[in-house]
């Protein structure tokens, strides 16, 4: 086992670009550069709050103790030879409007290092102090948000959803002032730093900023380097290589949207600066998980008036964001406009295919057809919403608690009222009975064995997800110095599809007290 010190650190990708090396203090507009060299700001008393064993083993890293070099690095108190700390410059559309330069205001990339298989990963500290992109903010992050990012990014990986990873969360021993609901009540909170890791943290916004500024040469280099390094499947011979690449980005984004819908994840801030060019879930902020199924639900209080980023709109917003990316890339290759438009036009179809396949599996069916199975799909959506069904528990119970014979007796499965947050009215009872009959007919027509169906369903319907209130409980313990619940929760989330004894408390409906409690139902961007 080794320490971060023994990894072989480099910064090859960034060296392909002009960088802002001025190290001038303060926030500013940075042009003509991929990003700015900036050192993390040391913190007073770092202490390890969470460590991802499952991720660290890819590098053979052992858990750092409080006196180790590893911990100093994770806290931003030491930079290792070979690292070249950098904050990237990017722009973005926020809530539908071009916001100009944003950039890594509190994330600092330390460098890249190979895992034991030789794959390169970029290591980033989030909350490690100000950068030229911090604008009026402090470059820091609070413990609650850092734990949320740490737990959820690891949980997503184990759910099989494309995501950036997290290695550690470290408390800084320094307070950070936040006005959690922007209502004039700022308060001191414990500060923390997440070390997150990904093949790349490139966002749509990295490309947009160069296009917006007319920095064509930089955009050209970024596009070429990104295609060469991260998309080896692209042929170097292709006459319209950028369009081919864009088609892959569209596909990956469609897959990602389908995966979020499958597990009930709501990102909450799908601004174009929070969209990964690799199709990964990135920037865990005021995200949330559906407890009671509701396509219009958004966890982000800032998003409440318009619900732009609610669960049900995520695929459409994915397409909107891709359209903005296309506009940026087309400044470079205007002659490929038709091909880019073809990819955008086929996004809906690609997403639908992904959605139908995953929805079929969620129901234990070999296939779903949009026309033939319209009732099954659309009515289920309505019934889950109106019954306020717990999305996670509904699908798990459906796998074990439903049989064709129940439907033949015109009875409802016993589990049904148990997984609802709303009462079962007479209308809903009649509608569910009808739905289960149609469902039973479809199962019968496929002639699958109950065992096969169970296996198929439990492979895509998780039992344990990072429910908002579970994460909040781990946060509240950590805020009073007990860090044990963070890794306990993580351990459960590392096998989300497999039932385990003694884990009942992690697979329960949201308790009443959590229904409208801040952190459990609503969050703000203040983190
Ligand atoms: P987000 O909505 O969290 O993705 O952040 C949008 C922009 O604000 C990004 O450029 C962030 O780097 C920046 N930002 C958010 N919080 C802070 C902070 N505490 N200090 C500096 N920059 C921040
Ligand atoms: Mg962001």
């Amino acid at each position: 086992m080794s320490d971060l010190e023994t990894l072989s650190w480099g910064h090859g990708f960034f060296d392909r670009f002009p960088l802002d090396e001025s190290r001038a203090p303060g926030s500013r507009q940075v042009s003509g550069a991929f990003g700015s060299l900036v050192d993390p700001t040391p913190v007073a008393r770092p202490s390890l709050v969470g460590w991802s064993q499952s991720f660290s083993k890819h590098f053979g890293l052992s858990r750092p103790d409080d006196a180790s070099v590893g911990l100093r690095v994770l806290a931003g108190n030491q930079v290792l030879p070979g690292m070249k700390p950098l904050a990237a410059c990017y722009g973005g559309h926020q809530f539908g409007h071009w916001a100009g330069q944003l950039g890594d205001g509190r994330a600092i990339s330390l460098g890249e290092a190979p895992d034991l298989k030789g794959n390169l990963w970029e290591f980033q500290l989030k909350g490690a102090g100000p950068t030229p992109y911090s604008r009026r903010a402090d470059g820091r992050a609070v413990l609650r948000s850092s734990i949320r990012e740490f737990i959820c990014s690891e949980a997503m990986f184990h759910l099989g959803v494309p995501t950036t990873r997290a290695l550690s969360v470290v408390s800084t021993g320094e307070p950070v002032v936040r006005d959690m609901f922007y209502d004039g009540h700022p308060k001191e909170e414990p500060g923390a730093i997440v070390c997150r890791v990904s093949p790349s943290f490139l966002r749509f916004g990295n490309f947009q900023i160069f296009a917006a500024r007319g920095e064509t040469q930089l955009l050209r280099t970024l596009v070429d380097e990104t295609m060469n390094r991260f998309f080896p499947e692209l042929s170097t011979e292709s006459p319209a290589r950028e369009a081919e690449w864009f088609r892959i980005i569209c596909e990956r984004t469609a897959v990602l949207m389908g995966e979020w819908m499958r597990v009930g994840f709501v990102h909450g801030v799908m601004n174009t600066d929070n969209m990964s060019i690799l199709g990964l879930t990135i920037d865990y902020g005021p995200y949330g998980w559906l407890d009671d199924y509701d396509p219009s639900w958004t966890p982000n209080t800032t998003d409440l008036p318009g619900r732009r980023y609610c669960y049900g709109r995520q695929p459409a917003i994915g397409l909107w964001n891709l359209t903005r990316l296309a506009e940026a890339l087309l400044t470079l290759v205007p002659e490929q406009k038709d091909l880019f438009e073809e990819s955008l036009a086929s996004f809906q179809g690609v997403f639908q295919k992904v959605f139908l396949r995953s929805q079929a599996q969620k129901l234990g069916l070999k296939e779903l057809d949009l026309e033939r199975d319209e009732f099954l799909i659309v009515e289920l959506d309505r019934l889950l919403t109106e019954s306020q069904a717990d999305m996670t528990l509904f699908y798990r119970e459906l796998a074990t608690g439903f049989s064709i014979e129940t439907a033949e007796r015109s009875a409802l499965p016993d589990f049904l009222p148990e997984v609802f947050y709303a009462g079962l009215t007479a209308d809903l009872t009649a509608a569910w009975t009808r739905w289960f009959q149609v469902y039973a007919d479809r199962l019968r027509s496929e002639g699958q064995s109950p065992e096969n169906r169970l296996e198929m369903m439990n492979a895509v319907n998780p039992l344990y997800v990072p429910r908002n209130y579970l994460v909040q409980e781990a946060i509240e313990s950590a805020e009073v110095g007990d860090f044990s619940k963070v890794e306990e929760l993580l351990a459960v989330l590392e096998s989300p599809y497999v039932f385990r004894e003694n884990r009942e408390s992690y697979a329960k409906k949201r308790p009443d007290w959590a229904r409208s409690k801040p952190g459990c139902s609503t969050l703000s961007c203040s983190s």
Side-chain angles (χ1 to χ4, degrees):
M1 297 294 261
S2 60
D3 195 277
L4 282 170
E5 218 179 349
T6 56
L7 299 187
S8 88
W9 291 98
H11 37 77
F13 188 73
F14 299 145
D15 283 344
R16 308 269 180 168
F17 303 93
L19 300 175
D20 158 33
E21 304 194 5
S22 73
R23 295 183 184 271
S27 292
R28 55 206 151 84
Q29 294 291 309
V30 174
S31 56
F34 175 79
S36 306
L37 299 189
V38 57
D39 281 331
T41 307
V43 298
R45 274 171 292 109
S47 179
L48 191 67
V49 173
W51 175 255
S52 171
Q53 196 72 42
S54 80
F55 185 62
S56 67
K57 70 174 195 265
H58 293 298
F59 297 84
L61 291 172
S62 47
R63 186 190 184 85
D65 57 50
D66 280 1
S68 63
V69 170
L71 194 86
R72 294 178 56 74
V73 172
L74 297 173
N77 286 4
Q78 186 170 341
V79 172
L80 295 170
M83 289 178 170
K84 191 168 176 177
L86 173 124
C89 178
Y90 54 80
H93 280 85
Q94 297 187 312
F95 293 92
H97 305 281
W98 175 244
Q101 176 182 298
L102 297 166
D104 286 329
R106 55 170 167 176
I108 298 179
S109 280
L110 296 174
E112 51 190 30
D115 62 19
L116 296 174
K117 290 187 181 147
N119 301 311
L120 279 177
W121 295 79
E122 181 181 337
F123 285 61
Q124 230 182 41
L125 299 182
K126 181 168 172 184
T131 77
Y133 310 98
S134 299
R135 294 174 288 162
R136 276 183 299 278
D138 56 6
R140 292 294 184 194
V142 292
L143 182 62
R144 61 183 155 88
S145 313
S146 306
I147 290 176
R148 283 169 51 81
E149 171 142 16
F150 173 73
I151 289 181
C152 196
S153 41
E154 287 302 278
M156 288 291 252
F157 170 77
H158 294 288
L159 283 162
V161 181
T163 180
T164 60
R165 301 292 303 267
L167 175 64
S168 62
V169 52
V170 165
S171 63
T172 59
E174 292 178 2
V176 171
V177 177
R178 287 290 181 272
D179 186 355
M180 189 167 167
F181 285 104
Y182 305 119
D183 60 357
H185 296 94
K187 144 177 150 200
E188 277 195 354
E189 296 189 46
I193 297 172
V194 173
C195 176
R196 53 185 193 180
V197 191
S198 176
S200 167
F201 289 95
L202 284 171
R203 303 132 192 281
F204 290 8
N206 289 89
F207 300 83
Q208 286 183 287
I209 192 76
F210 298 148
R213 287 174 169 167
E215 295 180 328
T216 312
Q217 191 46 52
L218 256 176
L219 181 60
R220 178 80 262 168
T221 311
L222 181 59
V223 166
D224 287 342
E225 294 299 334
T226 305
M227 291 192 298
N228 294 342
R229 163 90 181 259
F230 301 110
F231 294 82
E233 65 270 47
L234 278 173
S235 134
T236 45
E237 307 297 313
S238 165
R241 199 166 176 235
E242 294 78 6
E244 176 61 9
W245 172 53
F246 183 68
R247 190 183 56 75
I248 299 173
I249 300 169
C250 288
E251 275 171 18
R252 289 199 194 175
T253 305
V255 168
L256 183 67
M257 296 304 109
E259 287 292 85
W260 288 357
M261 304 309 275
R262 170 175 71 85
V263 297
F265 174 79
V266 193
H267 184 285
V269 209
M270 287 179 68
N271 293 333
T272 56
D273 53 302
N274 291 336
M275 295 291 292
S276 148
I277 203 75
L278 301 185
L280 308 173
T281 314
I282 190 175
D283 270 15
Y284 291 82
Y287 68 81
W289 290 78
L290 290 184
D291 291 312
D292 48 320
Y293 185 83
D294 177 4
S296 75
W297 184 69
T298 173
N300 184 356
T301 49
T302 317
D303 187 34
L304 274 178
R307 296 179 184 270
R308 178 180 174 87
Y309 297 143
C310 67
Y311 174 75
R313 277 206 192 146
Q314 296 186 118
I317 294 292
L319 175 59
W320 192 90
N321 289 341
L322 285 163
T323 311
R324 303 290 83 76
L325 175 65
E327 287 162 2
L329 299 178
L330 282 170
T331 61
L332 212 54
V333 286
E335 70 284 1
Q336 295 180 24
K337 188 163 188 276
D338 291 352
L339 293 169
F340 273 68
E341 279 175 357
E342 258 173 44
S343 291
L344 290 171
S346 51
F347 177 87
Q348 186 58 25
V350 176
F351 170 74
Q352 217 155 64
K353 238 195 217 153
V354 172
F355 168 78
L356 286 176
R357 194 169 49 222
S358 110
Q359 192 59 29
Q361 281 175 285
K362 284 180 82 65
L363 292 172
L365 293 165
K366 284 183 201 145
E367 56 167 20
L368 276 174
D369 179 273
L370 208 49
E371 270 173 43
R372 180 194 57 201
D373 299 312
E374 190 188 347
F375 174 81
L376 205 60
I377 300 165
V378 176
E379 180 71 345
L380 177 61
D381 200 73
R382 182 183 81 85
L383 291 177
L384 289 175
T385 310
E386 294 204 357
S387 311
Q388 295 175 29
D390 187 280
M391 180 178 173
T392 304
L393 294 180
F394 173 82
Y395 285 104
R396 286 298 286 209
E397 293 290 338
L398 185 65
T400 48
F402 172 80
S403 68
I404 294 179
E405 295 71 45
T406 325
E408 278 168 350
R409 279 187 279 112
S410 293
L412 285 180
D414 293 340
F415 72 81
L416 218 49
E418 304 296 317
V419 301
F420 293 165
Y421 293 93
L424 194 52
T425 60
D427 279 356
L428 282 172
T429 304
W432 274 112
T433 308
R434 165 118 179 81
W435 186 86
F436 276 111
Q437 278 166 348
V438 175
Y439 177 49
D441 284 344
R442 279 290 286 116
L443 286 174
R444 215 181 289 110
S445 73
E446 286 196 347
Q448 264 206 85
S449 72
E451 297 74 32
N452 274 352
R453 185 170 72 93
L454 181 70
E455 196 181 323
M456 186 197 295
M457 291 174 80
N458 283 356
V460 295
N461 295 318
L463 177 58
Y464 310 108
V465 295
R467 288 174 186 268
N468 313 310
Y469 86 91
L470 290 175
V471 178
Q472 184 62 22
E473 284 179 335
I475 289 169
E476 285 175 15
S477 294
E479 284 180 338
V480 294
D482 173 7
F483 300 153
S484 63
K485 287 213 173 130
V486 172
E487 285 182 26
E488 253 169 57
L489 179 57
L490 189 58
V492 172
L493 297 171
E494 281 176 357
S495 32
Y497 299 100
V498 187
F499 168 81
R500 296 268 167 78
E501 297 287 346
N502 304 321
R503 289 187 171 175
E504 291 75 12
S505 62
Y506 295 98
K508 282 223 279 273
K509 267 201 307 196
R510 175 197 58 214
D512 270 349
W513 61 260
R515 193 175 185 104
S516 51
K517 185 178 168 180
C520 299
S521 59
T522 47
L523 295 122
S524 72
C525 289
S526 159
S527 57

